[in-house]
Amino acid sequence: MSIIFHPALFDAKRFQSLAKGDLQRRIQFAIPPGNTFGRDIDGYDISSFRFEQEPYRPVGSIVDYLFDHLPDEAPTFPGLARMILLLGKLTERYGNLADATDAIYLGFLNAEEVALLRAQLEQCPYDTYRTMEEKNALGKILAVAENQGMGLILSQM
């Protein structure tokens, strides 16, 4: 179980262009230098491990938190299934790279998926203040990636 999560901009087309070869090298090739986000965005912690308070239990990253909570908070939202599928690609349990990279990199979204997830998150309702904060923080991360025409990758330590 990791403690710190790091989102970074990701060029999925560059990653795909090296279809063969060492996976770690392909990932590094697709992450533009100096573009990782810090530990927070606008003062809101985006990198720390999340816990559920009542009942107390470990959750994971900001993405894992939303992946776990949005189905309960917005069960009738029309875009929920697609949003959960996209969030799942970045989670500790189901990430599209989690098994292939010794769990350093959890997963990535391409630029189109980033734009779709951001749009879905903006429209999705929520029940709790914490979910709103988590959703807004992830939305800001996705906005940075979308504005630069990039995908997003999530790593852990």
Side-chain angles (χ1 to χ4, degrees):
M1 185 181 296
S2 61
I3 303 170
I4 302 292
F5 299 90
H6 293 283
L9 299 178
F10 186 73
D11 187 339
K13 289 180 182 176
R14 286 186 84 180
F15 176 75
Q16 301 292 345
S17 74
L18 293 176
K20 296 183 180 174
D22 178 64
L23 184 60
Q24 293 288 353
R25 186 175 152 277
R26 290 173 56 209
I27 290 170
Q28 292 305 315
F29 180 69
I31 299 174
N35 74 43
T36 56
F37 294 85
R39 292 186 56 94
D40 65 77
I41 192 159
D42 295 338
Y44 189 79
D45 176 17
I46 61 169
S47 63
S48 294
F49 193 89
R50 266 65 175 158
F51 292 92
E52 189 62 69
Q53 299 302 318
E54 305 253 346
Y56 182 81
R57 68 179 179 86
V59 177
S61 71
I62 188 172
V63 174
D64 288 297
Y65 182 90
L66 291 169
F67 182 84
D68 284 353
H69 286 80
L70 287 177
D72 293 333
E73 293 193 30
T76 61
F77 177 63
L80 182 64
R82 180 75 174 143
M83 189 169 50
I84 294 303
L85 178 71
L86 293 172
L87 286 169
K89 290 183 175 189
L90 298 173
T91 63
E92 209 168 357
R93 291 170 290 188
Y94 307 112
N96 56 13
L97 294 173
D99 293 335
T101 61
D102 298 326
I104 295 169
Y105 292 98
L106 300 174
F108 70 91
L109 299 175
N110 64 37
E112 295 79 21
E113 292 170 325
V114 163
L116 180 59
L117 179 57
R118 180 173 170 246
Q120 292 292 315
L121 275 176
E122 284 180 357
Q123 297 172 18
C124 184
Y126 53 86
D127 280 345
T128 66
Y129 183 74
R130 180 172 178 189
T131 300
M132 179 194 68
E133 287 183 319
E134 302 280 20
K135 191 175 89 149
N136 289 343
L138 182 58
K140 289 176 184 177
I141 294 168
L142 294 169
V144 169
E146 183 179 13
N147 291 339
Q148 295 187 31
M150 300 291 289
L152 187 73
I153 191 166
L154 189 63
S155 63
Q156 66 180 352
M157 289 188 188

